[in-house]
């Protein structure tokens, strides 16, 4: 980081002019996101088999994971067998969601599904202080069928229920998932941004290897967990 890693100082009128120019691009991006959401609402869907997952109370049909709601968002959490600390990205991402009751007004629910055995998954949930509802697909092909097989990546999938029939309506992974949380949205507002090497930043801005500033799973547990070790 340069000793002079500071934005240039200008008068208020010049600052406002440049902010207005940036706002034009921000508004265009907002309108494009609205258009993308409109296209998403027009996607067809795929009928799903009658999967059975494992919940805290035992086996549960996929249709019953909705708990009476018509819409369901599923975060497929990466899982590494035998590891005390699971994926830091998944752990950090899901730690953001502590208040999900607002989805009730939209007839929707948001849950975690992982390949880990349910007892291990629930123990990990407690260790890191996660507030979401967890299910296991360890004994079901569900995870594999929705793009999150054993040893595979994280994902977000969305489903629609019509009676006891469930349909898959949307899927994303990678950076498509980061847009659904608030952490990077806030960090990207900062003058120095994420401070990662791949980002386009002015000369002299602080930049470090990608992921180096991310909280580890153990860090998340230290902040929120009930039995961190």
């Amino acid at each position: 980081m340069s000793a002079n890693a500071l934005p240039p100082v200008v008068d208020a009128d010049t600052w406002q002019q440049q902010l207005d120019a940036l706002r034009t691009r921000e508004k265009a991006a907002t309108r494009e996101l609205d258009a993308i959401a409109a296209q998403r609402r027009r996607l067809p869907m795929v009928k799903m088999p009658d999967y059975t997952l494992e919940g805290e109370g035992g086996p549960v049909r996929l249709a019953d994971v909705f708990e009476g709601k018509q819409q369901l968002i599923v975060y497929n959490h990466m899982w590494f067998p035998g590891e005390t600390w699971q994926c830091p990205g998944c752990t950090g991402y899901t730690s953001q969601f502590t208040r999900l009751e607002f989805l009730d007004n939209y007839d929707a629910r948001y849950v975690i599904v992982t390949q880990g055995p349910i007892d291990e998954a629930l123990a990990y949930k407690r260790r890191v202080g996660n507030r979401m509802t967890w299910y296991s697909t360890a004994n079901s092909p569900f995870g594999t069928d929705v793009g999150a097989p054993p040893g595979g990546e994280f994902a977000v999938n969305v489903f629609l229920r019509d009676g006891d029939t469930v349909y898959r309506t949307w899927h994303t992974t990678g950076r498509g998932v980061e847009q659904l949380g608030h952490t990077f949205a806030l960090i990207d507002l900062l003058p120095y941004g994420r401070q990662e090497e791949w980002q386009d930043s002015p000369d002299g801005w602080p930049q470090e290897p990608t992921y180096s500033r991310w909280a580890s799973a153990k860090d998340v547990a230290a902040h929120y967990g009930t039995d961190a070790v």
Side-chain angles (χ1 to χ4, degrees):
M1 175 178 175
S2 169
N4 297 314
L6 298 171
V9 178
V10 297
D11 61 82
D13 288 342
T14 300
W15 178 83
Q16 187 65 55
Q17 290 171 6
Q18 296 200 27
L19 177 64
D20 290 344
L22 176 62
R23 185 62 43 79
T24 298
R25 295 187 67 184
E26 290 174 339
K27 290 295 185 182
T30 298
R31 288 190 289 271
E32 176 62 13
L33 288 173
D34 288 341
I36 290 170
Q39 183 176 351
R40 186 182 298 118
R41 289 190 293 272
R42 288 166 172 80
L43 281 174
M45 59 187 183
V46 178
K47 183 179 178 180
M48 304 296 288
D50 189 16
Y51 296 102
T52 297
L53 309 183
E54 296 288 330
E56 189 165 4
V60 56
R61 296 172 59 212
L62 178 59
D64 293 329
V65 173
F66 287 71
E67 290 197 343
K69 304 291 193 297
Q70 191 173 14
Q71 303 170 103
L72 176 70
I73 304 169
V74 169
Y75 183 80
N76 296 98
H77 197 296
M78 295 174 68
W79 190 265
F80 304 101
E83 295 293 329
T84 299
W85 302 109
Q86 297 298 328
C87 170
C90 291
T91 305
Y93 171 81
T94 56
S95 72
Q96 302 173 73
F97 299 100
T98 59
R99 299 289 185 271
L100 290 167
E101 293 82 4
F102 69 92
L103 288 173
D104 292 344
N105 292 340
Y106 296 88
D107 199 18
R109 192 175 187 224
Y110 192 7
V111 303
I112 291 175
V113 173
T114 188
Q115 292 285 354
I118 188 60
D119 290 347
E120 294 180 26
L122 293 175
Y124 186 71
K125 170 186 173 176
R126 292 189 294 271
R127 186 175 305 123
V128 298
N130 192 280
R131 301 286 295 277
M132 298 177 72
T133 302
W134 287 55
Y135 295 89
S136 169
T137 188
N139 299 313
S140 165
F142 173 77
T144 297
D145 292 350
V146 298
E153 294 294 322
F154 59 92
V156 169
N157 283 279
V158 181
F159 303 92
L160 182 68
R161 182 180 63 83
D162 182 18
D164 286 335
T165 304
V166 176
Y167 300 90
R168 187 185 186 199
T169 65
W170 189 72
H171 166 268
T172 195
T173 189
R175 295 194 65 198
V177 173
E178 78 173 38
Q179 299 178 28
L180 308 178
H182 65 257
T183 54
F184 287 121
L186 291 176
I187 294 168
D188 285 343
L189 296 178
L190 301 173
Y192 296 141
R194 304 185 197 188
Q195 303 179 43
E196 296 187 352
E197 292 174 330
W198 63 271
Q199 288 198 291
D200 181 357
S201 297
D203 291 341
W205 250 228
Q207 289 185 296
E208 299 176 9
T210 303
Y211 311 127
S212 60
R213 288 182 175 268
W214 287 29
S216 68
K218 193 172 183 178
D219 292 335
V220 173
H223 288 302
Y224 308 116
T226 56
D227 58 352
V229 293

